[in-house]
Amino acid sequence: MNHTIASSMQDVQDYFRDHAERILENPNIGICLFYPNGKIIYANDRFAAVYNVTTMEMYEKRIHEFCRYTVQNLAGFLQKIEQNQNIAMQEMYANGSYYLYKIQSKYRHQQHILVVTLVDITAYKRLELALQKNNKQLEQLRSLDRVTGLNNYAAFETKIRMIHQSKIEENIGMILLDIDGFKRFNQENGYEYGDVAIKKISHLLEHFTEANTQVLFHLGGDEFIFILPNMQDWNLYTFAEQLLVEVHKLNLYFSSGVDCRLTVSLAIDMFTSGEHFDIDFFLVRLKRLMRIAKEKGGHCWMDNKAKNEG
């Protein structure tokens, strides 16, 4: 939380704790006194306004009729009161505003009375929520690649950790994709057009991840990787064949030849979630398969079965 906001919220809480005798004098603080059975003894105008009624309408009624928040949380408040020297404090939302809600246990003429005080913290809370939203957006931006807008390597590592922590056992396929001859493409066509090509390929690849569980990551440069849960070998092979065809159909030509256009090579491997595996070692295996695909001239896919057959 922003330090200024936190300080302001602390000031409000300190006011509640240190200036109890001045609460009744403050028109901005709502106050209500009631017996444990819910019957209201006193409510000021500010408290009544929170529930869009007058103090006369609240007098000698039960707090249940107005403040459902109190009723729903009363048992929890009473437990907190016992543990925290007769005071419990919490935030409350009512009719579009946020309040710092404090309930105290008092005794008057040997009668048990509960005292509720409300102070409007809407301005502070809105700043806090805006800051939380901005922080969330910044966190999301840190997980995205600047050029392509796709999930980046940091997001890939986070996803791998989530798979590790999952107790559901399932087959996880991974397809590493590398653009063939991209360094030469940049040299011939210029790096600006190279970025255009990366974006077009990224946009195309994103269309292949229709299921919520299928995720695409841009590892950097001209490398991408798919995580594809619950897919058998033949599903991965079909997926890879479609990738080869669709990227070729983008017609991203080298400037040196009409018939020379960008293609991709693919490396395929699988593992089972729940099993211990080293992601760095797994990526080394994929890159080894990628080298074999490149040695065959590119524009193809390779997995361990194909490697062994070759």
Side-chain angles (χ1 to χ4, degrees):
M1 186 190 299
N2 181 282
H3 177 70
T4 304
I5 298 170
S7 299
S8 300
M9 295 288 282
Q10 189 63 48
D11 289 344
V12 173
Q13 292 178 355
D14 290 344
Y15 182 90
F16 265 37
R17 291 192 180 96
D18 301 337
H19 301 84
E21 74 284 355
R22 289 165 55 187
I23 287 176
L24 287 172
E25 303 169 11
N26 192 324
N28 297 315
I29 294 179
I31 184 166
C32 177
L33 286 68
F34 64 98
Y35 293 118
N37 66 4
K39 185 179 178 181
I40 295 173
I41 306 167
Y42 167 83
N44 68 358
D45 291 334
R46 185 69 186 89
F47 189 92
V50 171
Y51 302 100
N52 298 317
V53 294
T54 66
T55 53
M56 289 300 295
E57 289 174 294
M58 298 190 83
Y59 183 62
E60 291 202 335
K61 299 283 180 65
R62 290 169 66 82
I63 198 165
H64 303 61
E65 298 178 38
F66 305 98
C67 186
R68 296 190 182 277
Y69 179 80
T70 302
V71 179
Q72 291 168 354
N73 296 279
L74 188 57
F77 276 126
L78 292 177
Q79 187 177 8
K80 287 182 181 178
I81 283 171
E82 290 178 8
Q83 296 170 349
N84 299 304
Q85 300 179 337
N86 295 329
I87 295 176
M89 201 175 318
Q90 199 166 317
E91 289 181 7
M92 182 187 85
Y93 179 82
N95 297 325
S97 297
Y98 293 92
Y99 299 91
L100 192 62
Y101 182 103
K102 185 182 75 167
I103 186 166
Q104 277 183 285
S105 180
K106 299 281 188 182
Y107 283 89
R108 189 180 70 172
H109 307 305
Q110 297 183 333
Q111 287 185 306
H112 190 194
I113 297 171
L114 295 169
V115 181
V116 171
T117 44
L118 294 177
V119 64
D120 193 326
I121 57 168
T122 303
Y124 305 129
K125 194 65 182 176
R126 285 178 178 163
L127 283 171
E128 178 189 336
L129 293 173
L131 186 64
Q132 289 174 352
K133 183 179 178 181
N134 288 341
N135 287 341
K136 186 176 180 181
Q137 289 174 337
L138 285 172
E139 190 61 37
Q140 290 173 337
L141 286 173
R142 279 195 285 268
S143 297
L144 297 178
D145 177 69
R146 182 182 58 82
V147 175
T148 64
L150 298 177
N151 295 303
N152 60 17
Y153 189 82
F156 173 70
E157 289 183 319
T158 300
K159 181 65 175 178
I160 292 297
R161 282 197 298 270
M162 290 172 60
I163 292 172
H164 270 310
Q165 292 166 4
S166 173
K167 296 181 180 179
I168 301 172
E169 188 173 301
E170 58 183 345
N171 292 327
I172 307 287
M174 282 198 196
I175 297 182
L176 180 66
L177 181 147
D178 188 282
I179 302 173
D180 297 323
F182 191 63
K183 182 178 179 181
R184 182 165 66 88
F185 185 87
N186 276 327
Q187 291 171 342
E188 290 188 12
N189 298 60
Y191 287 93
E192 185 177 340
Y193 189 61
D195 283 348
V196 171
I198 281 280
K199 289 175 184 177
K200 286 186 176 181
I201 290 174
S202 300
H203 185 67
L204 171 69
L205 299 182
E206 205 169 13
H207 281 294
F208 278 80
T209 56
E210 294 179 355
N212 291 332
T213 53
Q214 297 176 350
V215 195
L216 169 67
F217 304 88
H218 183 206
L219 300 184
D222 55 351
E223 280 191 331
F224 300 81
I225 194 164
F226 289 90
I227 295 181
L228 307 165
N230 295 319
M231 295 184 79
Q232 301 302 317
D233 289 354
W234 65 270
N235 295 120
L236 293 172
Y237 301 154
T238 302
F239 192 91
E241 290 288 353
Q242 290 175 334
L243 285 171
L244 293 174
V245 171
E246 294 303 319
V247 173
H248 191 258
K249 284 165 62 176
L250 282 176
N251 296 329
L252 297 168
Y253 291 103
F254 286 77
S255 61
S256 58
V258 175
D259 295 326
C260 187
R261 52 186 140 174
L262 279 180
T263 59
V264 294
S265 295
L266 311 167
I268 303 172
D269 209 341
M270 294 185 70
F271 69 95
T272 303
S273 62
E275 292 181 350
H276 175 73
F277 85 108
D278 186 321
I279 185 59
D280 293 324
F281 178 72
F282 194 80
L283 287 174
V284 167
R285 270 171 40 185
L286 281 171
K287 288 178 184 276
R288 189 179 298 126
L289 291 170
M290 181 62 72
R291 278 199 303 272
I292 297 171
K294 296 288 187 180
E295 288 167 2
K296 288 181 173 288
H299 192 37
C300 64
W301 58 264
M302 184 64 55
D303 73 342
N304 281 306
K305 291 179 182 177
K307 180 189 75 172
N308 294 333
E309 290 170 3

